[in-house]
Amino acid sequence: MERTLILLKHDAVSKGITGRIISRFEDAGLKITAMKMVWADEDLAGQHYKLDEAWAKKLYDRTKKVFDEEGKEMPYKDHMHMGQKIQGWNKKFLQEGPIIALVLEGPHAVEVGRDMLGHTEPRQAAPGTIRGDFAKLESYNLADKKQRVLRNIAHGSDTPENAEHEIHTWFTKEELHEYAKDLDKHF
Ligand code: UDP
Ligand code: MG
């Protein structure tokens, strides 16, 4: 059985939409096996958003493509420069206020979780997805202009391996629960 870590970032808490988001995951059949409100400190934020060179490279290439298309100059020296800047913003955002961390379990939980969140950039997130329904006006353009992070409601693990690592970053063994749900007998 697969597990994923979901963080309802402070914009979701601040908008008062966490219950509606959690309901969507429950409606989809995912099992909540851990959940808590946390106000992260610098150390926890740093453990979650580590500067990963491969991530920075992907981020830089993706952004450069858009800037090239628009004929704009990249404001970053290289991928690590950009990665550091975004990582710093991400860490700051994670500490802006309390967030809700949850572990969801089910077949293909990682893929299903990210599918339900929608595209990283809410502007590109399809209606019906969490980011598409609750933050559609947020965009790279806006974040860039305001020199801040993309406020996109939630984080979802991107691979089962990363999910296991992230789950242990946010939860102790005692906080992770095992229990049976009606749907389980069909999986
Ligand atoms: N982010 C950002 N600007 C960017 C790329 C990412 O502010 O150009 C933020 C955004 O909040 C995103 C987080 O960094 O959710 C992590 O980025 P990642 O590429 O892992 O996106 P995700 O997995 O959250 O869709
Ligand atoms: Mg990610």
Side-chain angles (χ1 to χ4, degrees):
M1 196 50 75
E2 200 167 282
R3 303 193 292 185
T4 189
L5 177 89
I6 300 286
L7 300 178
L8 305 182
K9 303 183 194 178
H10 190 62
D11 51 343
V13 173
S14 180
K15 285 178 174 172
I17 54 173
T18 57
R20 288 156 75 193
I21 297 171
I22 293 166
S23 279
R24 288 183 177 213
F25 293 128
E26 289 188 308
D27 287 348
L30 289 159
K31 189 198 287 187
I32 300 169
T33 57
M35 178 158 72
K36 64 181 174 185
M37 184 171 253
V38 194
W39 195 326
D41 59 13
E42 178 70 19
D43 183 52
L44 184 55
Q47 282 180 54
H48 183 76
Y49 284 120
K50 286 205 201 74
L51 185 51
D52 172 42
E53 181 149 14
W55 170 78
K57 186 89 184 72
K58 249 175 45 195
L59 179 77
Y60 184 85
D61 292 347
R62 191 174 70 203
T63 310
K64 189 163 186 318
K65 217 177 123 216
V66 178
F67 273 62
D68 285 350
E69 279 162 14
E70 294 178 358
K72 286 197 302 193
E73 197 69 34
M74 279 287 274
Y76 306 103
K77 275 203 313 274
D78 53 26
H79 64 287
M80 287 309 271
H81 180 212
M82 180 174 188
Q84 260 157 14
K85 186 93 188 211
I86 304 281
Q87 184 213 18
W89 286 344
N90 267 326
K91 287 200 297 184
K92 196 167 142 222
F93 184 30
L94 213 49
Q95 297 172 73
E96 183 177 297
I99 62 156
I100 291 181
L102 55 157
V103 176
L104 301 176
E105 189 179 295
H108 319 292
V110 168
E111 178 194 304
V112 170
R114 283 181 72 88
D115 237 27
M116 291 180 69
L117 290 184
H119 197 282
T120 302
E121 181 188 21
R123 179 186 176 187
Q124 294 187 61
T129 63
I130 290 162
R131 288 165 173 165
D133 286 351
F134 294 115
K136 189 73 182 166
L137 301 185
E138 173 66 330
S139 65
Y140 283 133
N141 229 314
L142 200 60
D144 215 56
K145 212 182 295 169
K146 299 254 177 188
Q147 284 289 290
R148 59 160 175 75
V149 79
L150 201 60
R151 300 174 71 87
N152 60 2
I153 309 287
H155 162 86
S157 307
D158 58 358
T159 65
E161 296 71 35
N162 288 344
E164 286 305 309
H165 182 78
E166 291 175 356
I167 287 167
H168 290 107
T169 298
W170 288 89
F171 292 98
T172 64
K173 270 206 183 82
E174 292 70 34
E175 291 171 327
L176 297 165
H177 301 286
E178 278 180 40
Y179 63 97
K181 249 181 93 181
D182 193 50
L183 261 179
D184 291 351
K185 59 178 178 283
H186 304 294
F187 297 150

